[in-house]
Amino acid sequence: MTSLRVIDTETGEDLSQDYTLRHRNQDNYYKQRLEQRGKQRDFTFSNMLNITEVITKIDDKYCGYLLYLQTYINYDGVLVNATHAKEPMTKDDIQSALNLKRTAFYEFFKNMTDNEIIFEENGEYRINPIYHFRGSTENTRVVKTFTAKVRSLYTTRNAKKLGFIYKLLPYVHYETNTICSNPYETNLKRVEQLSKSDIAELTQVSEKSVYSYLRSMKLGEEYVFSEIRTGKVRYYKINPFIFYRKNGEPDASLREMFLLGFSHR
């Protein structure tokens, strides 16, 4: 039993039973845990219908850069630095975040501004909110992108792989996270799952490369995709702890599928 007490200095009354005493070190630890949890839950939205326009205008690598870069927008759509101050990004900041050499960056940036995906307003660079935004929405035809997870996936070398993922976001089913041709279908028996050949045709990536991407992309111990086998049929789900359409967060039990290997019956 602790000898510490909470005493009202005016009345001398012992108020200990109404309070929980915690050391300052415990407070600091608790704050750090909350901040870390907040970062893990931080997310942006991608409009599933509108980003199909982006996909037709820019190549896979640029789609990968954009998927990563949109995690830096604030609630006004402004690209901000990943610091406590959240100051608006300069061009140099954006180049640094993407880790691109000058020529490669300016080619990408020109492509973004020419297609009005990124624009400048009041001296600040913004991502067009018709494609990506942060905040709340009543629109159910969106995909949540969990910030910390996508940032961990990104390197300049795997930008094309992230671009491949970007191309699949318009096809994520609401209830199941299955990659399918009818992602707004409410009857689960009518969901039309996409095979790897379907995905190859959709993304304009060779079937061999598609399967390599699907089975090799990992974040730590978790796979980004999971293959489901039912008889001769094989179809794919995307990790709901990275991309998710429903409100709230995915059930923790779903993580097992993406931890226990790539292919499942």
Side-chain angles (χ1 to χ4, degrees):
M1 185 174 180
T2 180
S3 60
L4 298 175
R5 293 285 185 269
V6 178
I7 304 296
D8 187 319
T9 57
E10 292 185 0
T11 66
E13 183 182 1
D14 189 338
L15 303 176
S16 301
Q17 64 181 4
D18 297 325
Y19 293 88
T20 299
L21 295 178
R22 196 167 56 214
H23 192 277
R24 185 177 289 108
N25 289 343
Q26 290 176 299
D27 278 345
N28 292 336
Y29 175 75
Y30 182 67
K31 289 176 183 177
Q32 289 172 4
R33 288 293 300 273
L34 285 179
E35 288 177 3
Q36 184 62 33
R37 188 177 298 174
K39 289 177 182 177
Q40 291 173 347
R41 293 177 177 176
D42 185 54
F43 58 85
T44 55
F45 286 107
S46 299
N47 186 301
M48 297 170 67
L49 295 176
N50 293 345
I51 65 171
T52 57
E53 300 173 9
V54 175
I55 291 167
T56 63
K57 293 177 181 178
I58 64 177
D59 66 24
D60 291 12
K61 186 166 58 177
Y62 287 178
C63 283
Y65 295 155
L66 178 60
L67 179 59
Y68 172 68
L69 192 59
Q70 58 87 37
T71 67
Y72 287 90
I73 57 175
N74 66 11
Y75 289 97
D76 296 318
V78 177
L79 286 163
V80 294
N81 285 295
T83 61
H84 183 69
K86 302 291 184 184
E87 295 177 345
M89 282 182 161
T90 64
K91 273 190 183 180
D92 287 344
D93 292 331
I94 299 171
Q95 180 184 346
S96 177
L98 291 169
N99 195 29
L100 294 176
K101 293 184 178 179
R102 189 174 183 83
T103 299
F105 169 71
Y106 275 91
E107 288 175 354
F108 162 73
F109 198 79
K110 184 177 187 302
N111 194 299
M112 293 296 102
T113 53
D114 285 351
N115 287 297
E116 299 181 331
I117 300 167
I118 294 177
F119 61 94
E120 185 179 0
E121 183 178 88
N122 299 323
E124 298 171 333
Y125 294 106
R126 301 169 184 261
I127 288 184
N128 196 323
I130 70 170
Y131 304 124
H132 303 284
F133 62 95
R134 187 184 295 277
S136 59
T137 181
E138 296 297 320
N139 185 2
T140 59
R141 298 189 173 192
V142 293
V143 180
K144 283 192 292 192
T145 298
F146 290 101
T147 299
K149 296 297 183 72
V150 170
R151 288 184 186 175
S152 296
L153 279 173
Y154 177 79
T155 66
T156 52
R157 294 183 63 181
N158 70 2
K160 287 187 72 172
K161 290 183 179 181
L162 262 67
F164 169 78
I165 294 174
Y166 189 94
K167 285 185 169 184
L168 294 179
L169 294 184
Y171 304 95
V172 177
H173 189 262
Y174 181 83
E175 289 288 346
T176 64
N177 259 45
T178 296
I179 306 301
C180 63
S181 62
N182 53 344
Y184 313 119
E185 176 59 61
T186 57
N187 187 336
L188 296 185
K189 293 181 179 179
R190 295 179 180 175
V191 175
E192 299 172 357
Q193 301 96 343
L194 296 179
S195 66
K196 64 175 180 286
S197 60
D198 294 329
I199 293 172
E201 182 177 353
L202 183 73
T203 58
Q204 296 298 295
V205 176
S206 72
E207 192 169 332
K208 182 179 179 181
S209 293
V210 163
Y211 200 59
S212 174
Y213 287 172
L214 291 171
R215 67 184 179 184
S216 66
M217 279 192 275
K218 295 181 72 176
L219 184 58
E221 296 299 314
E222 291 184 41
Y223 285 84
V224 176
F225 293 94
S226 179
E227 180 181 68
I228 310 300
R229 293 175 289 157
T230 57
K232 294 183 179 180
V233 176
R234 298 186 180 197
Y235 63 95
Y236 305 90
K237 294 177 181 284
I238 195 164
N239 192 322
F241 294 91
I242 308 174
F243 303 98
Y244 195 53
R245 286 189 57 196
K246 298 175 76 173
N247 290 329
E249 296 182 62
D251 189 282
S253 63
L254 295 174
R255 193 183 300 275
E256 182 180 43
M257 177 183 295
F258 297 89
L259 283 170
L260 297 179
F262 164 66
S263 192
H264 305 270
R265 291 191 182 276

